[in-house]
Amino acid sequence: MATFIFGHTTPDTDSIIGAISLSYLKNQLGEETIPTRQGEINPETKFILEKFGYKAPELKTSYAGESVYLIDFMERSQSPKDIDEATILGIVDHHKLGDLTTATPLEMWVRPVGCSNTIVKQMFDYYNIEIPKELAGMMMCAILSDTVIFKSPTCTKEDTKACKELAQIAQIEDYKALGMEMFNVKSDVLSATKRELVLRDFKDFNMGGKKVGVGQLEVVDLSVFDNMKDELFSEMKKLKEEGSRDTVLLMLTDIIQEGTQLLVVSDDISKIKEAFGVEIENNQVWLPKVMSRKKQIIPFLEKVF
Ligand code: MG
Ligand code: MG
Ligand code: MG
């Protein structure tokens, strides 16, 4: 019986490409695996899949009775609802230790690097398996996406090294230009509904028994949001009510100015002020140099919750 490999809910490029790259590696190693996804493909990932001629993994949201590998997450809140009825054979991830547990021993490749695909690249090297040219191109794009073309504070030397080696395999000289092309695709926010935007890269966390949702949109120019803030806020409020969340945050990240306009909807806004040591006016605040949810937002929220 095949093992399924998938990333987090509301999958990003790292989750989708990671499922494909890890599945390819596992299959080369003699396991029978199938990459899947828990949600819709975002425009950036679609661009990458089309560019390198790959199909999106199958949509699959239920895994009871199945064996699985998880990539790019280990949080219950980002898992399929029946994850407890699945057997987790392994986890490949670059996030904080999550709250999933297993009944059986498992394989874990968890490293504090900027992208899960950097770890998958290291696994290919470890097993001495060759990476096909087009797959290397997609893995390279995943690293450029997660590290915001090496600008994110999550980016390590291992990420830049893996990215450059993948670019060589993919025979892509100007990989940073391709990275910018990806972020331009990401910056096209006008063709999506406001709800789609808030949910495009959205993650729920359990913080001290409270549900906190944090979305992020990374664009090359924040002015694209100028005339839609009110509508974004009203979608955030709806999400807060519908999901019984304590707080919903939306990070509008400007990858050129390198900072984040944080939109806040919360039962207790003073907690958010305390978390970041800032004043919040009209439910928003500019946080200079803040680009990473996992490193610059979540740890500070965890502290106050
Ligand atoms: Mg991810
Ligand atoms: Mg990732
Ligand atoms: Mg990200």
Side-chain angles (χ1 to χ4, degrees), residues 8 12 14-15 72 94-95 146 203:
H8 51 77
D12 57 5
D14 194 24
S15 272
D72 199 36
H94 67 129
H95 292 87
D146 257 17
K203 286 181 181 174

Side-chain angles (χ1 to χ4, degrees), residues 267-278:
D267 283 340
D268 184 2
I269 206 157
S270 68
K271 262 200 203 135
I272 314 302
K273 291 183 191 173
E274 188 194 332
F276 302 106
V278 291

